[in-house]
Amino acid sequence: MRRASPTRTGSGPRGAEETAPAGRSAGSGASGGRLAGIDAVRGLAVLGMFAVHVGPGPVPEGAGYLLVAADGRAPALFTLLAGFSLVLAQRGPDPARRPQGWARRWRPLLIRCTLLAVLGVWLASLWPGILVILAFFAVYFLAAEPFTRLSTPVLTAVAAVSVVAGPLLSFLLGPVFGYGASGRGLVPEAADLASWSGLGTVLLELLLTGAYPLATYFPYVLAGMALARLCDVRERSVARRMAVWGTVAAFAGYGSAWLASHVFGARQRLLEAIAVHHPEALSAADPVREVLQGQYGAVPSTSWDWLLVADPYSQTPLETLGNAGVGCALIGLCALAARHGVGARLLRPLTVLGAMALSAYVVHALVLAGPAHGAASWSAWLAFSGAALALTWAWQLVWADSPLRRGPVEHVLRLATSGRGRA
């Protein structure tokens, strides 16, 4: 039986194991600073994910603004970093340097994606109270491989087009498959794989109607890939420009949505559409947010004005632009901070956590499926955050001279895809 979409959402783990161990990269020169800065951003995304999963509701007042800032941006940031990481893993911007031949190109990727998908389906079946993203990440990585061979100008153009084309496909194709007003926002579970019809449902969720479908989240991957090609954050000036232009993009995305909603009447037209297609949401404090909470990752197809909002998880062009801008700015800022000894030391706990984000994700999902099921408070967020920072730090100290320093789950993936004898 399919369960209804929960009111909380999942976030993503570390994208690809491209970085050096956090404990050895921070402050170790330009290249190390670049990698430490990226892991630090990923560590921030982990803390944001905890805030969404176990923190109180995002109320825009006082400390609640921290939760508002994390709401909807954590999975977007993870996915953007996944694309960024894929390009860094190439060890150079030239696509011609990638391994040739089917076996060298696809076999490790297929193994990694299969393991991620199996792990994601298993965690989702435990009912941890979150929408597990790992199976979707497997699809992102498979879809991204052909794009890694595009030239930088073509990749950049494709990424820009996808920001609009992906949400538009979600809007237009939803009604074609019977999801015009409801039924979206689920994740694949083990029970879905027991029949052919269930397999078809899983495929549709992964591509179009799920919580993090390819249609609306893959633009983040492409944007991250384009950023990594265009911006070598080893250069201080480039990192500074990323911080500035990322901020501009964020204001452009969120600001345009605010103007459309409050100046040009889009919100009023949405309320009228909600009265017709989602009458049950009218009693909520924010009917627009109430509808979007049941449509994670998909754009509702009941009004064209849905494409003009930028609320969390709306996955419209404007929200995608705003979220990508936030990610770009954070990468630039953390790369700048990681270039200096003091900044690298301050970022070190986040860098270590970000380097082991996949392990942290799996462990936190298991805890939510058991002793912490239903947790939703500031104390729960502090407990999860403190435990994650302390345990990942201790793990890196204990396994400092071992391949296990990357994290237990990361190490298993690396062994499965590269073999014990490969670096």
Side-chain angles (χ1 to χ4, degrees), residues 369-397:
H373 181 69
S377 65
W378 281 109
S379 59
W381 177 74
L382 289 172
F384 269 75
S385 300
L389 291 168
L391 291 175
T392 52
W393 185 286
W395 181 276
Q396 293 249 330
L397 288 178

Side-chain angles (χ1 to χ4, degrees), residues 30-55:
S31 179
R34 174 189 64 176
L35 302 179
I38 293 167
D39 272 343
V41 178
R42 195 177 284 111
L44 281 174
V46 172
L47 298 185
M49 173 186 69
F50 290 162
V52 175
H53 290 175
V54 301

